[in-house]
């Protein structure tokens, strides 16, 4: 039994990745490799307009995908709002009445570290923060690069980290074509693919730079 | 006075301000000065600030930039520096993160002196050239006005690459040129930049007192860059 976290970033809705993972076929593949808990952070993109006020783009998109994929019906998922702990952050929890499968979804969390900590594998967008958070917690990581973004420098770090064997990475547009993602997930979980441990850097370099510069202002 | 003398005075009067400006620039431009590192201070608490209050200004750009900055600050003890947080207008997420940081790291009495500065975005994505020039000028003027409202100008300006870094840093550099403040500029390039600097990084390279990169290729490429590994 294992837990998978998919984190897509807070600013822009990573539609292509969500399109791939919020589907019945992906989730049944997860069940086949014994992943029984799927946590999805789907984005916090909010559009402000004078006419309509604010629209939560990511929320609407995720709901639309849930409807379209019909996973709620097919997996006999039930939204159990009672299980939601008292917190300010909105979380949707769906539990299957047939199997022990659980889907947890939320737009964005300040406590993402807690979610990473309880996961066995993390699939992440190429954001520097998400990547480093996952690696610092010594979790297995697959990075999905979104090359449809305008400023795609985030992808550089994915390639660099993959070269160093800290993580695996895929281009989001290859996902549907090659279908290697679930195989890699399975191999990572079984330990057939081993990744290099990320060094933990806790020295206070920035603080000493600030201190040195402060001396010049006295 | 004959013609020649007048000419000499005119030339001198013309050259004098240029030379003064050039000398002043040379004296404050970090890129033409020898790096004067004081290696004996390792933490902010070690700095003999005395009775004087010193301020650090921290710019929170947006999404990823804010995320990196907060991760960098997780390893920094700001000691008794007062803080000025700078966010872009409408960026409530960054503002919340700054306030959370204040709450977890400082008590209320200490946080009373903390100031928050909201800047207009330099330009919106896809804006036509003319109106983007206009809004850039507007944002410069607005930044200047907001800086004047602060009780204290920063001793240290900490930046990590969003577009708003550039006007803010150049305005404070201009003020330093005029002797209005002594602000030291520390720039940390985003971890996402492996082989090339961002536009903000390139523009700030000449005026940043410390220029830190997080990847080795950049460290080898730029003489003034410092490298300590991944900092976030």
């Amino acid at each position: 039994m294992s837990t998978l976290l998919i984190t897509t970033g807070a600013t822009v809705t990573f539609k292509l990745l969500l399109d791939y993972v919020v589907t019945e076929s992906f989730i049944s593949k997860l069940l086949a490799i014994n992943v029984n808990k799927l946590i999805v952070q789907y984005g916090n993109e909010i559009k402000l307009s004078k006419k309509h006020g604010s629209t939560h783009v990511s929320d609407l998109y995720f709901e639309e995908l849930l409807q379209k994929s019909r996973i709620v019906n097919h997996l006999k998922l039930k939204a159990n709002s009672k299980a939601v702990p008292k917190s300010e952050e909105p979380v949707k929890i769906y539990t299957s009445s047939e199997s022990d499968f659980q889907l947890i979804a939320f737009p964005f969390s300040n406590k993402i570290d807690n979610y990473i900590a309880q996961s066995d594998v993390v699939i992440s967008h190429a954001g520097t923060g998400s990547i480093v958070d996952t690696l610092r917690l010594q979790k297995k990581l697959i990075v999905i690069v979104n090359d449809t973004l305008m400023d795609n420098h985030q992808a550089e770090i994915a390639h660099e980290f993959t070269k160093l064997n800290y993580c695996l990475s895929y281009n989001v547009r290859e996902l549907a074509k090659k279908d290697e993602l679930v195989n890699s997930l399975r191999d990572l979980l079984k330990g057939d693919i081993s990744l290099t441990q990320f060094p933990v850097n806790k020295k206070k370099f920035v603080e000493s730079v600030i201190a040195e510069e402060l001396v010049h202002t006295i | 006075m004959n013609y020649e003398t007048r000419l000499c005075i005119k030339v001198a009067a013309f050259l004098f301000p240029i030379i003064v400006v050039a000398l002043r620039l040379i004296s404050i431009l970090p890129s033409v000065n020898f790096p004067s590192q004081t290696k004996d201070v390792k933490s902010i608490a070690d700095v003999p600030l005395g009775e004087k209050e010193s301020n650090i200004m921290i710019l929170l750009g947006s999404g990823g930039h804010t995320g990196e900055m907060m991760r960098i600050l997780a390893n920094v003890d700001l000691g008794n520096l007062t803080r000025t947080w700078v966010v872009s207008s409408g960026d409530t997420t960054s503002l919340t993160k700054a306030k959370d940081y204040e709450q977890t790291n400082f008590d209320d009495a200490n946080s009373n002196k903390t100031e928050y500065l909201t800047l207009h975005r330099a330009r919106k994505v896809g804006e036509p050239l003319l109106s983007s020039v206009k809004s850039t000028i507007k944002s410069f003027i607005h930044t200047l006005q907001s800086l004047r409202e602060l009780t204290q100008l920063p001793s240290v300006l900490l930046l990590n690459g969003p577009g708003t870094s550039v006007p803010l840093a150049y305005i404070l550099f201009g003020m330093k040129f005029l002797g209005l403040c002594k602000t030291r500029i520390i720039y940390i390039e985003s971890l996402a930049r492996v082989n090339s600097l961002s536009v903000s990084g390139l523009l700030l390279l000449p005026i940043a007192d410390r220029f830190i990169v997080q990847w080795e290729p950049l460290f080898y490429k730029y003489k003034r860059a410092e490298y300590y590994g991944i900092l976030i």
Side-chain angles (χ1 to χ4, degrees):
Chain A
M1 297 291 121
S2 28
T3 302
L4 167 68
L5 167 67
I6 299 176
T7 170
T8 66
T11 355
V12 187
T13 317
F14 196 167
K15 291 185 176 169
L16 286 174
L17 178 58
L18 290 173
D19 286 346
Y20 183 74
V21 296
V22 189
T23 54
E24 208 197 335
S25 81
F26 181 74
I27 289 174
S28 53
K29 281 176 201 159
L30 288 185
L31 288 168
I33 59 166
N34 260 336
V35 173
N36 66 330
K37 193 168 171 186
L38 173 63
I39 309 173
V40 182
Q41 179 268 314
Y42 55 77
N44 202 23
E45 185 182 347
I46 296 163
K47 208 178 192 170
L48 292 170
S49 74
K50 279 178 190 153
K51 262 189 195 168
H52 309 288
S54 71
T55 338
H56 200 300
V57 180
S58 312
D59 239 345
L60 289 176
Y61 196 75
F62 184 76
E63 282 303 323
E64 193 189 306
L65 283 178
L66 267 190
Q67 297 277 319
K68 216 166 65 182
S69 63
R70 280 182 279 173
I71 39 180
V72 174
N73 276 336
H74 287 194
L75 290 163
K76 303 244 165 20
L77 292 184
K78 253 191 187 162
N80 52 0
S81 47
K82 274 179 196 166
V84 181
K86 255 195 184 175
S87 70
E88 291 157 40
E89 292 182 351
V91 185
K92 298 170 195 167
I93 300 179
Y94 301 89
T95 323
S96 170
S97 53
E98 275 187 341
S99 61
D100 58 352
F101 180 76
Q102 199 179 36
L103 171 67
I104 297 173
F106 51 89
F108 168 75
S109 171
N110 281 314
K111 296 160 194 144
I112 194 78
D113 269 5
N114 294 347
Y115 289 107
I116 296 173
Q118 55 172 290
S119 308
D120 299 288
V121 184
V122 177
I123 293 180
S124 167
H125 75 124
T128 53
S130 307
I131 292 177
V132 172
D133 283 349
T134 307
L135 294 178
R136 287 225 195 284
L137 289 168
Q138 313 287 351
K139 294 292 176 181
K140 293 162 181 167
L141 171 66
I142 301 176
V143 178
I144 308 296
V145 174
N146 186 4
D147 62 358
T148 59
L149 289 177
M150 271 223 304
D151 175 33
N152 198 32
H153 283 278
Q154 287 202 334
E156 279 188 43
I157 165 180
H159 295 140
E160 214 60 29
F161 276 14
T162 310
K163 258 201 292 189
L164 296 166
N165 195 37
Y166 291 141
C167 61
L168 303 178
S169 68
Y170 290 105
N171 188 312
V172 70
R173 286 190 291 188
E174 292 172 355
L175 289 180
K177 264 189 256 163
K178 290 190 183 167
D179 210 23
E180 283 174 47
L181 184 64
V182 180
N183 291 341
S184 300
L185 264 176
R186 183 198 58 211
D187 292 348
L188 277 175
L189 284 168
K190 273 180 20 190
D192 288 351
I193 298 178
S194 60
L195 299 169
T196 311
Q197 247 194 18
F198 188 64
V200 179
N201 180 2
K202 281 286 166 211
K203 288 201 180 144
K204 299 195 159 196
F205 294 112
V206 177
E207 188 178 335
S208 32
V209 169
I210 296 174
E212 285 160 18
E213 289 310 300
L214 271 174
V215 172
H216 292 284
T217 66
I218 312 172
Chain B
M1 237 189 286
N2 61 18
Y3 173 74
E4 254 178 62
T5 323
R6 267 189 316 217
L7 184 69
C8 281
I9 292 171
K10 271 182 198 164
V11 170
F14 176 71
L15 285 180
F16 183 68
I18 296 176
I19 292 168
V20 170
V21 166
L23 283 176
R24 176 70 186 144
L25 262 180
I26 288 169
S27 78
I28 65 162
L29 260 182
S31 41
V32 289
N33 284 308
F34 292 108
S36 55
Q37 287 174 11
T38 29
K39 283 288 176 207
D40 49 330
V41 282
K42 280 272 165 269
S43 71
I44 292 169
D46 292 343
V47 184
L49 288 171
E51 293 292 293
K52 203 185 83 173
E53 262 185 2
S54 290
N55 176 276
I56 183 167
M57 183 181 273
I58 301 158
L59 176 66
L60 299 180
S62 60
H65 287 294
T66 301
E68 285 199 24
M69 184 59 93
M70 297 319 291
R71 285 175 180 86
I72 289 167
L73 288 177
N75 287 326
V76 176
D77 178 7
L78 289 176
N80 44 9
L81 293 177
T82 61
R83 284 85 53 204
T84 304
W85 298 92
V86 187
V87 296
S88 302
S89 53
D91 185 5
T92 46
T93 320
S94 297
L95 193 63
T96 313
K97 288 204 169 162
K99 289 189 170 160
D100 283 350
Y101 182 88
E102 286 286 324
Q103 248 184 7
T104 35
N105 292 285
F106 299 97
D107 52 38
D108 289 348
N110 188 309
S111 280
N112 278 341
K113 288 177 190 156
T114 305
E115 294 187 87
Y116 297 91
L117 189 70
T118 312
L119 294 185
H120 292 218
R121 278 175 205 277
R123 60 181 285 273
K124 292 180 194 89
V125 179
E127 206 174 14
L129 183 68
L130 192 69
S131 85
S132 119
V133 169
K134 236 168 87 186
S135 60
T136 305
I137 295 172
K138 255 194 197 163
S139 98
F140 255 89
I141 295 170
H142 175 82
T143 308
L144 255 175
Q145 281 171 340
S146 332
L147 283 173
R148 282 183 55 197
E149 282 162 22
L150 292 175
T151 47
Q152 198 181 10
L153 286 171
S155 299
V156 171
L157 172 65
L158 189 59
L159 305 164
N160 72 336
T164 33
S165 306
V166 182
L168 185 63
Y170 270 90
I171 286 169
L172 279 164
F173 183 77
M175 290 174 130
K176 180 156 73 173
F177 178 84
L178 296 172
L180 298 170
C181 61
K182 289 179 169 177
T183 309
R184 308 289 290 190
I185 301 170
I186 301 174
Y187 182 84
I188 305 173
E189 185 59 286
S190 164
L191 182 66
R193 292 296 176 151
V194 181
N195 296 304
S196 64
L197 289 181
S198 63
V199 177
S200 306
L202 281 171
L203 289 172
L204 292 181
L205 187 60
I207 65 159
D209 295 279
R210 302 295 284 270
F211 196 90
I212 303 170
V213 295
Q214 299 189 69
W215 287 99
E216 257 180 320
L218 286 178
F219 171 61
Y220 292 123
K221 208 164 164 185
Y222 296 95
K223 213 173 63 193
R224 294 193 54 242
E226 300 170 49
Y227 171 69
Y228 306 101
I230 292 168
L231 299 168
I232 71 166

